[in-house]
Amino acid sequence: MTESAGAGRDAESVSKFVESFAAQLVEAGMQRMAARVFAALLASDKGVLTSAELGEQLQISPAAVSGAVRYLSQTHMVSREREPGSRRERYRVHGDQWYEALTNREAVLKRWEGALREGVTSLGADTPAGRRLAETLAFFEFIEGEIAAMMERWRAHREKTFGQG
């Protein structure tokens, strides 16, 4: 039995959850293999699996695992680490992965805001397109402020509910 199933857990039930949750992530826009790898890591007791364990559990190639992990690392949803005393890598999902993924979107929002500001200037603030871009810019600025405030509330709620993370 792989670690992902865990002692005393039904491997079929774990697999069913992984595929079901992965399908929801795919529907929301995540790449299919990345969604499956992420769900498998999330469902593992330790939150850590090697490439071989992921490949075995999901019946996918090492190349598929590698591509999925690359995407998940770039989006800050998993991290890579070396197994102690080994050259093998293992992949870890953290309890705060959603927080990290969401707050790391700030850089993306900043880039979009910069491009929209340039667009408003280029198109003219008094043109229909310029006004539309200005409204889009205002929306992203609003969202950015709301995310920051929401993340503060989440940290307080998480500490109250789960203790120090």
Side-chain angles (χ1 to χ4, degrees):
M1 176 185 327
T2 65
E3 186 280 327
S4 58
R9 293 196 311 173
D10 177 40
E12 187 176 328
S13 294
V14 172
S15 180
K16 191 174 188 174
F17 164 77
V18 166
E19 296 305 325
S20 173
F21 189 59
Q24 295 299 314
L25 294 171
V26 168
E27 192 171 308
M30 187 182 281
Q31 297 173 359
R32 183 173 181 270
M33 281 301 145
R36 293 180 72 215
V37 166
F38 180 74
L41 285 166
L42 197 61
S44 69
D45 283 341
K46 294 180 182 175
V48 178
L49 295 170
T50 65
S51 179
E53 290 169 330
L54 286 163
E56 178 186 335
Q57 179 182 348
L58 301 173
Q59 296 296 295
I60 58 176
S61 71
V65 172
S66 179
V69 168
R70 186 178 321 107
Y71 170 85
L72 292 167
S73 295
Q74 290 170 347
T75 58
H76 305 280
M77 296 188 75
V78 302
S79 60
R80 298 172 190 249
E81 55 189 45
R82 291 269 183 218
E83 276 191 357
S86 170
R87 291 178 36 179
R88 290 191 329 172
E89 284 189 328
R90 57 188 185 182
Y91 310 107
R92 176 179 299 278
V93 66
H94 299 279
D96 63 352
Q97 75 277 348
W98 298 112
Y99 171 84
E100 287 298 321
L102 191 55
T103 56
N104 284 310
R105 295 290 186 239
E106 183 179 357
V108 173
L109 286 175
K110 289 286 188 198
R111 287 195 306 270
W112 290 354
E113 289 169 9
L116 288 164
R117 273 188 202 88
E118 288 178 21
V120 170
T121 301
S122 297
L123 298 172
D126 294 330
T127 67
R131 285 190 295 276
R132 191 169 44 254
L133 291 182
E135 184 176 342
T136 302
L137 171 59
F139 172 75
F140 285 129
E141 289 170 337
F142 174 80
I143 291 297
E144 187 177 4
E146 290 298 307
I147 288 173
M150 183 176 57
M151 290 299 107
E152 283 300 317
R153 289 191 309 273
W154 164 246
R155 280 192 290 273
H157 176 76
R158 181 179 184 215
E159 186 172 330
K160 179 181 172 189
T161 305
F162 300 105
Q164 288 287 341

